[in-house]
Amino acid sequence: MPTTYTISELARELDVTTRAIRFYEEQGMLSPERRGQERIYSPKDLVALKLILRGKRIGFSLAECKELIDLYDPSSGNHKQLQTFLDKITARRAQLEQQLLDIEQMKLELDTAEERCLAAMSETAKPRKQRVPS
C-alpha cells in the first residue's frame, strides 16, 4: 500500500470522482498536504474516505461521518470511534425498522383504498333500472 496518494490515485483506488474527493475536502473531512498545486493524501485520508463512503451507503449524514472521522485515534485502538460507530449503527437500524413498519402500514392503507375504489367503480358500472313515467 502506498504511503501517499495523489487525488487521481485515491479516486481510482476507491472508485469515486476527484470532484467528490474535493467536496469532502471542502467539508473538512479530508486534509491532504499540498505540494505546490498538487494534493497529497495520506493513509489516514484513505481511511477517512472509506468511512465516508461506507457511512453514505448505510444512510449516515455527512455530519455523522465527520463526527466518526474526528474520533479517529489509532493510538487508542480507535475504541471511542468504534463505540460511537456501533451506537450509530444501532440507531440507524431502529430507524430502518420503524420505516419498515410505516411502509407496511401504508401498504395496508393503499390496499383498503384500492378495494374501496374498485367497489365504487363496480357499483357505478351496474346498469340502473329506468323508471317508466306514469
Side-chain angles (χ1 to χ4, degrees), residues 14-75:
L14 297 176
D15 195 27
V16 295
T17 64
T18 56
R19 185 176 179 187
I21 294 171
R22 284 191 296 275
F23 172 77
Y24 297 130
E25 182 183 342
E26 289 166 10
Q27 300 302 307
M29 301 172 86
L30 301 173
S31 52
E33 291 180 32
R34 296 282 185 159
R35 284 193 199 138
Q37 293 290 357
E38 190 177 33
R39 293 170 169 90
I40 304 298
Y41 296 88
S42 69
K44 180 180 177 183
D45 291 313
L46 175 68
V47 170
L49 190 51
K50 283 180 178 179
L51 189 58
I52 293 165
L53 298 173
R54 182 177 302 129
K56 280 181 54 183
R57 278 194 310 272
I58 58 178
F60 289 175
S61 68
L62 281 182
E64 289 173 310
C65 292
K66 185 171 182 354
E67 179 186 354
L68 290 168
I69 290 165
D70 290 345
L71 292 171
Y72 180 72
D73 181 14
S75 66

Side-chain angles (χ1 to χ4, degrees):
M1 176 159 77
T3 55
T4 61
Y5 304 85
T6 65
I7 193 168
S8 299
E9 290 168 340
L10 194 60
R12 203 171 26 256
E13 176 86 16
L14 297 176
D15 195 27
V16 295
T17 64
T18 56
R19 185 176 179 187
I21 294 171
R22 284 191 296 275
F23 172 77
Y24 297 130
E25 182 183 342
E26 289 166 10
Q27 300 302 307
M29 301 172 86
L30 301 173
S31 52
E33 291 180 32
R34 296 282 185 159
R35 284 193 199 138
Q37 293 290 357
E38 190 177 33
R39 293 170 169 90
I40 304 298
Y41 296 88
S42 69
K44 180 180 177 183
D45 291 313
L46 175 68
V47 170
L49 190 51
K50 283 180 178 179
L51 189 58
I52 293 165
L53 298 173
R54 182 177 302 129
K56 280 181 54 183
R57 278 194 310 272
I58 58 178
F60 289 175
S61 68
L62 281 182
E64 289 173 310
C65 292
K66 185 171 182 354
E67 179 186 354
L68 290 168
I69 290 165
D70 290 345
L71 292 171
Y72 180 72
D73 181 14
S75 66
S76 71
N78 290 309
H79 183 77
K80 187 170 183 181
Q81 181 192 44
L82 293 170
Q83 185 59 56
T84 302
F85 193 27
L86 282 173
D87 294 344
K88 289 186 179 305
I89 288 169
T90 300
R92 182 70 179 132
R93 187 181 312 277
Q95 181 185 27
L96 288 173
E97 291 294 336
Q98 183 58 56
Q99 287 175 328
L100 276 172
L101 291 172
D102 293 345
I103 289 168
E104 287 301 321
Q105 183 61 40
M106 193 179 298
K107 284 172 57 180
L108 290 172
E109 290 176 22
L110 285 170
D111 290 345
T112 301
E114 181 181 44
E115 287 170 11
R116 288 181 179 164
C117 284
L118 290 171
M121 286 176 66
S122 70
E123 285 297 315
T124 59
K126 290 180 182 174
R128 295 185 177 175
K129 294 182 182 178
Q130 296 210 350
R131 292 186 189 176
V132 178
S134 20

